[in-house]
Amino acid sequence: IESYLQKRATDISQKTKEVISRGTINNELVILKMIFERLVDGGNLKTSPAQKVAQLKENDKQFHVITSDEEIFYLMSAPQPLQDIFILMIECGFRPKELFALSKKQINLEKEYVQVVNGKTESSNRKVYLTSKAKKIISERLSRFKENLLFPNKEIDGNPPVSAAYVNNQHLAVMKPSTMDFRMYDARHTCATRLLESGCDLLTLAYILGHNDLSTLKRYAHPSETRKQEAVKKMELARMSVAKM
Protein backbone atom coordinates (compact mmCIF):
# COMPACT_ATOMS: atom_id res chain seq x y z
CA ILE A 1 0.00 0.00 0.00
CA GLU A 2 2.93 2.33 0.67
CA SER A 3 4.11 1.65 -2.89
CA TYR A 4 0.61 2.48 -4.16
CA LEU A 5 0.67 5.82 -2.33
CA GLN A 6 4.08 6.68 -3.78
CA LYS A 7 2.86 5.79 -7.26
CA ARG A 8 -0.29 7.90 -6.85
CA ALA A 9 1.84 10.87 -5.74
CA THR A 10 3.29 10.99 -9.27
CA ASP A 11 0.08 10.25 -11.21
CA ILE A 12 -1.62 12.85 -13.39
CA SER A 13 -5.29 13.68 -12.80
CA GLN A 14 -7.41 13.02 -15.90
CA LYS A 15 -9.65 15.94 -14.92
CA THR A 16 -7.11 18.67 -14.10
CA LYS A 17 -4.10 17.28 -16.02
CA GLU A 18 -2.02 18.18 -12.95
CA VAL A 19 -0.25 15.95 -10.41
CA ILE A 20 -2.78 14.43 -8.00
CA SER A 21 -2.85 16.25 -4.65
CA ARG A 22 -1.94 14.62 -1.37
CA GLY A 23 -5.41 15.42 -0.05
CA THR A 24 -6.97 13.33 -2.81
CA ILE A 25 -4.55 10.47 -2.10
CA ASN A 26 -5.39 10.58 1.62
CA ASN A 27 -9.10 10.37 0.80
CA GLU A 28 -8.39 7.28 -1.28
CA LEU A 29 -6.46 5.78 1.63
CA VAL A 30 -9.46 6.31 3.94
CA ILE A 31 -11.66 4.42 1.47
CA LEU A 32 -9.09 1.61 1.20
CA LYS A 33 -8.99 1.27 4.98
CA MET A 34 -12.80 1.05 5.12
CA ILE A 35 -12.82 -1.69 2.46
CA PHE A 36 -10.17 -3.75 4.26
CA GLU A 37 -11.92 -3.31 7.61
CA ARG A 38 -15.14 -4.71 6.13
CA LEU A 39 -13.19 -7.65 4.71
CA VAL A 40 -11.79 -8.29 8.19
CA ASP A 41 -15.25 -8.00 9.75
CA GLY A 42 -16.58 -10.49 7.20
CA GLY A 43 -13.85 -12.99 7.95
CA ASN A 44 -12.19 -12.66 4.55
CA LEU A 45 -8.97 -11.24 6.02
CA LYS A 46 -7.29 -11.75 9.38
CA THR A 47 -5.91 -8.23 9.57
CA SER A 48 -6.09 -5.11 7.45
CA PRO A 49 -2.88 -4.42 5.47
CA ALA A 50 -3.77 -0.72 5.61
CA GLN A 51 -4.20 -0.57 9.37
CA LYS A 52 -0.79 0.96 10.15
CA VAL A 53 -0.38 2.96 6.96
CA ALA A 54 -0.18 6.67 7.80
CA GLN A 55 -1.68 9.42 5.68
CA LEU A 56 0.61 11.67 3.68
CA LYS A 57 1.38 14.98 5.34
CA GLU A 58 -0.30 17.57 3.15
CA ASN A 59 1.92 20.40 4.41
CA ASP A 60 5.16 18.56 3.56
CA LYS A 61 7.46 20.16 1.01
CA GLN A 62 6.21 18.70 -2.23
CA PHE A 63 8.58 20.36 -4.67
CA HIS A 64 12.16 19.61 -5.51
CA VAL A 65 14.65 21.97 -7.14
CA ILE A 66 16.50 19.91 -9.74
CA THR A 67 20.28 20.21 -9.58
CA SER A 68 22.47 20.60 -12.65
CA ASP A 69 23.83 17.07 -12.20
CA GLU A 70 20.30 15.64 -11.92
CA GLU A 71 19.27 17.52 -15.05
CA ILE A 72 22.20 16.11 -17.03
CA PHE A 73 21.63 12.54 -15.85
CA TYR A 74 17.89 12.79 -16.46
CA LEU A 75 18.29 14.03 -20.03
CA MET A 76 20.82 11.30 -20.77
CA SER A 77 18.21 8.70 -19.78
CA ALA A 78 15.00 10.30 -21.06
CA PRO A 79 13.43 9.09 -24.33
CA GLN A 80 11.42 11.29 -26.67
CA PRO A 81 9.13 13.13 -26.33
CA LEU A 82 9.87 13.29 -22.59
CA GLN A 83 13.36 14.71 -23.20
CA ASP A 84 12.17 17.68 -25.24
CA ILE A 85 9.17 18.33 -22.96
CA PHE A 86 11.42 18.33 -19.90
CA ILE A 87 13.87 20.76 -21.48
CA LEU A 88 11.10 23.18 -22.48
CA MET A 89 9.67 23.04 -18.95
CA ILE A 90 12.96 23.64 -17.14
CA GLU A 91 14.12 26.28 -19.64
CA CYS A 92 10.89 28.29 -20.02
CA GLY A 93 8.47 27.25 -17.25
CA PHE A 94 5.81 25.59 -19.42
CA ARG A 95 3.12 23.46 -17.81
CA PRO A 96 3.17 19.92 -19.26
CA LYS A 97 -0.30 20.17 -20.76
CA GLU A 98 0.65 23.43 -22.49
CA LEU A 99 3.14 21.41 -24.51
CA PHE A 100 1.16 18.23 -25.21
CA ALA A 101 -1.13 19.96 -27.70
CA LEU A 102 1.38 22.57 -28.90
CA SER A 103 0.66 23.49 -32.52
CA LYS A 104 2.59 25.33 -35.20
CA LYS A 105 0.22 28.28 -35.25
CA GLN A 106 1.19 29.11 -31.65
CA ILE A 107 4.87 29.54 -32.48
CA ASN A 108 6.71 32.67 -33.54
CA LEU A 109 10.36 31.73 -33.93
CA GLU A 110 11.30 35.10 -35.39
CA LYS A 111 10.23 36.84 -32.18
CA GLU A 112 11.23 33.84 -30.08
CA TYR A 113 8.01 33.07 -28.23
CA VAL A 114 5.17 30.56 -27.99
CA GLN A 115 1.61 31.81 -27.53
CA VAL A 116 -0.16 29.64 -24.94
CA VAL A 117 -3.89 29.30 -25.63
CA ASN A 118 -6.74 27.51 -23.84
CA GLY A 119 -4.92 27.77 -20.52
CA LYS A 120 -6.33 26.76 -17.15
CA THR A 121 -6.91 30.46 -16.28
CA GLU A 122 -6.98 33.74 -18.17
CA SER A 123 -3.45 34.54 -16.98
CA SER A 124 -2.26 31.20 -18.34
CA ASN A 125 -2.89 32.46 -21.88
CA ARG A 126 0.39 34.25 -22.39
CA LYS A 127 3.52 34.57 -24.47
CA VAL A 128 6.28 32.24 -23.29
CA TYR A 129 9.68 33.49 -24.45
CA LEU A 130 12.24 30.93 -25.51
CA THR A 131 15.85 30.42 -24.49
CA SER A 132 18.28 29.46 -27.25
CA LYS A 133 18.11 25.81 -26.17
CA ALA A 134 14.30 25.86 -26.22
CA LYS A 135 14.24 27.62 -29.58
CA LYS A 136 16.49 24.93 -31.05
CA ILE A 137 14.13 22.15 -29.89
CA ILE A 138 11.06 23.94 -31.28
CA SER A 139 12.84 24.58 -34.57
CA GLU A 140 13.86 20.94 -34.94
CA ARG A 141 10.33 19.75 -34.25
CA LEU A 142 8.89 22.21 -36.74
CA SER A 143 11.15 20.67 -39.38
CA ARG A 144 10.51 17.11 -38.30
CA PHE A 145 6.71 17.10 -38.16
CA LYS A 146 4.78 18.26 -41.22
CA GLU A 147 1.36 18.20 -39.55
CA ASN A 148 0.15 20.80 -37.06
CA LEU A 149 1.19 19.18 -33.74
CA LEU A 150 4.74 19.29 -32.40
CA PHE A 151 4.18 16.47 -29.90
CA PRO A 152 2.04 13.85 -31.65
CA ASN A 153 1.35 10.61 -29.83
CA LYS A 154 4.24 8.10 -30.09
CA GLU A 155 6.19 10.68 -32.11
CA ILE A 156 4.25 9.75 -35.25
CA ASP A 157 3.30 12.65 -37.53
CA GLY A 158 -0.46 13.06 -37.88
CA ASN A 159 -1.33 11.34 -34.60
CA PRO A 160 -3.41 13.10 -31.90
CA PRO A 161 -1.56 14.88 -29.07
CA VAL A 162 0.64 12.83 -26.78
CA SER A 163 -1.16 11.97 -23.53
CA ALA A 164 -0.15 13.00 -20.01
CA ALA A 165 -0.20 9.34 -18.95
CA TYR A 166 2.22 8.34 -21.74
CA VAL A 167 4.77 11.01 -20.82
CA ASN A 168 4.39 10.38 -17.08
CA ASN A 169 5.07 6.68 -17.61
CA GLN A 170 8.25 7.60 -19.48
CA HIS A 171 9.25 9.79 -16.54
CA LEU A 172 8.65 6.99 -14.02
CA ALA A 173 10.73 4.61 -16.15
CA VAL A 174 13.65 7.06 -16.00
CA MET A 175 13.32 7.57 -12.24
CA LYS A 176 12.90 3.94 -11.20
CA PRO A 177 16.49 2.68 -11.66
CA SER A 178 18.05 5.96 -10.48
CA THR A 179 18.63 7.54 -7.06
CA MET A 180 16.75 10.68 -8.14
CA ASP A 181 13.42 11.49 -6.56
CA PHE A 182 11.44 14.25 -8.24
CA ARG A 183 8.35 14.71 -10.35
CA MET A 184 8.34 15.89 -13.93
CA TYR A 185 6.44 19.00 -12.80
CA ASP A 186 9.45 19.94 -10.68
CA ALA A 187 11.13 21.06 -13.90
CA ARG A 188 8.71 24.01 -13.92
CA HIS A 189 9.40 24.76 -10.24
CA THR A 190 13.12 24.63 -10.93
CA CYS A 191 12.72 27.12 -13.76
CA ALA A 192 10.93 29.49 -11.37
CA THR A 193 13.70 29.14 -8.78
CA ARG A 194 16.44 29.73 -11.34
CA LEU A 195 14.68 32.83 -12.63
CA LEU A 196 14.40 34.27 -9.13
CA GLU A 197 18.02 33.48 -8.35
CA SER A 198 19.09 35.23 -11.56
CA GLY A 199 17.39 38.42 -10.36
CA CYS A 200 13.92 38.16 -11.90
CA ASP A 201 11.32 40.13 -9.92
CA LEU A 202 8.14 38.45 -8.66
CA LEU A 203 5.74 40.34 -10.95
CA THR A 204 7.68 39.37 -14.08
CA LEU A 205 7.95 35.78 -12.82
CA ALA A 206 4.19 35.63 -12.33
CA TYR A 207 3.63 36.65 -15.97
CA ILE A 208 6.24 34.16 -17.22
CA LEU A 209 4.60 31.26 -15.36
CA GLY A 210 1.05 32.37 -16.06
CA HIS A 211 -0.11 33.23 -12.52
CA ASN A 212 -2.40 36.08 -11.52
CA ASP A 213 -1.57 35.85 -7.81
CA LEU A 214 1.93 36.57 -6.49
CA SER A 215 1.28 34.45 -3.38
CA THR A 216 1.03 31.38 -5.60
CA LEU A 217 4.73 31.76 -6.42
CA LYS A 218 5.63 30.71 -2.88
CA ARG A 219 4.63 27.18 -3.85
CA TYR A 220 6.85 27.17 -6.92
CA ALA A 221 10.05 29.01 -6.15
CA HIS A 222 12.54 27.63 -3.67
CA PRO A 223 15.88 29.36 -3.03
CA SER A 224 18.75 26.86 -2.89
CA GLU A 225 20.74 26.34 0.31
CA THR A 226 23.70 28.07 -1.35
CA ARG A 227 21.51 31.06 -2.18
CA LYS A 228 20.27 31.29 1.42
CA GLN A 229 23.83 31.16 2.72
CA GLU A 230 24.93 33.86 0.30
CA ALA A 231 22.05 36.09 1.44
CA VAL A 232 23.13 35.82 5.09
CA LYS A 233 26.77 36.53 4.17
CA LYS A 234 25.68 39.53 2.10
CA MET A 235 23.75 40.92 5.09
CA GLU A 236 26.76 40.39 7.36
CA LEU A 237 29.12 42.16 4.95
CA ALA A 238 26.72 45.09 4.71
CA ARG A 239 26.62 45.39 8.50
CA MET A 240 30.42 45.27 8.73
CA SER A 241 30.72 48.01 6.11
CA VAL A 242 28.39 50.27 8.10
CA ALA A 243 30.34 49.59 11.32
CA LYS A 244 33.60 50.69 9.68
CA MET A 245 32.20 54.09 8.72
Side-chain angles (χ1 to χ4, degrees):
I1 293 176
E2 285 89 348
S3 298
Y4 165 79
L5 297 180
Q6 292 174 4
K7 169 67 167 58
R8 288 293 284 159
T10 63
D11 283 347
I12 304 294
S13 167
Q14 293 184 356
K15 181 178 180 181
T16 65
K17 307 301 181 186
E18 305 284 359
V19 176
I20 293 173
S21 70
R22 291 189 169 200
T24 297
I25 296 169
N26 285 335
N27 290 337
E28 293 175 355
L29 178 59
V30 170
I31 295 171
L32 274 176
K33 287 188 174 186
M34 292 173 60
I35 292 172
F36 284 125
E37 286 171 4
R38 290 191 179 184
L39 289 172
V40 171
D41 292 341
N44 297 293
L45 289 175
K46 289 184 179 181
T47 59
S48 168
Q51 184 177 1
K52 296 182 179 181
V53 177
Q55 290 191 342
L56 300 176
K57 293 182 180 180
E58 297 182 34
N59 60 349
D60 273 1
K61 180 182 175 182
Q62 298 184 39
F63 304 138
H64 173 78
V65 178
I66 299 166
T67 67
S68 297
D69 287 343
E70 286 174 331
E71 181 182 354
I72 292 169
F73 183 84
Y74 186 92
L75 291 175
M76 287 175 61
S77 308
Q80 292 292 4
L82 173 63
Q83 185 180 107
D84 285 354
I85 288 172
F86 180 88
I87 291 173
L88 291 173
M89 290 177 66
I90 203 168
E91 286 286 313
C92 305
F94 284 101
R95 295 179 176 91
K97 66 178 182 180
E98 293 171 347
L99 295 171
F100 297 154
L102 183 62
S103 64
K104 293 182 176 181
K105 62 183 179 182
Q106 296 172 245
I107 298 163
N108 189 325
L109 276 188
E110 183 180 350
K111 296 185 178 181
E112 301 182 330
Y113 72 81
V114 168
Q115 178 66 56
V116 174
V117 296
N118 301 320
K120 58 185 292 187
T121 63
E122 184 177 346
S123 57
S124 298
N125 299 323
R126 67 200 188 283
K127 290 179 180 178
V128 177
Y129 290 92
L130 305 172
T131 64
S132 57
K133 187 182 294 186
K135 183 180 178 181
K136 181 180 178 182
I137 287 173
I138 294 289
S139 179
E140 288 175 351
R141 284 191 165 264
L142 283 171
S143 301
R144 179 180 171 191
F145 298 107
K146 304 306 177 185
E147 299 296 328
N148 192 40
L149 293 175
L150 267 68
F151 290 98
N153 192 36
K154 297 182 179 180
E155 295 284 273
I156 299 175
D157 207 3
N159 273 1
V162 66
S163 68
Y166 182 84
V167 177
N168 194 52
N169 285 337
Q170 287 188 321
H171 169 75
L172 293 176
V174 172
M175 301 300 287
K176 189 174 182 180
S178 75
T179 58
M180 297 183 295
D181 183 21
F182 60 82
R183 301 174 304 177
M184 187 174 70
Y185 209 88
D186 286 325
R188 174 172 156 87
H189 307 147
T190 300
C191 177
T193 299
R194 291 177 179 178
L195 282 165
L196 277 180
E197 292 188 345
S198 69
C200 180
D201 64 89
L202 287 177
L203 183 60
T204 301
L205 182 62
Y207 279 107
I208 290 173
L209 296 181
H211 288 302
N212 55 11
D213 185 358
L214 293 181
S215 63
T216 308
L217 297 177
K218 295 177 182 179
R219 299 174 60 237
Y220 289 88
H222 312 280
S224 66
E225 294 305 315
T226 301
R227 194 70 173 183
K228 294 174 188 176
Q229 186 179 29
E230 289 175 351
V232 173
K233 288 183 177 180
K234 186 176 181 180
M235 176 191 69
E236 187 177 27
L237 288 172
R239 184 173 62 229
M240 292 171 63
S241 297
V242 172
K244 290 178 179 179
M245 291 181 178

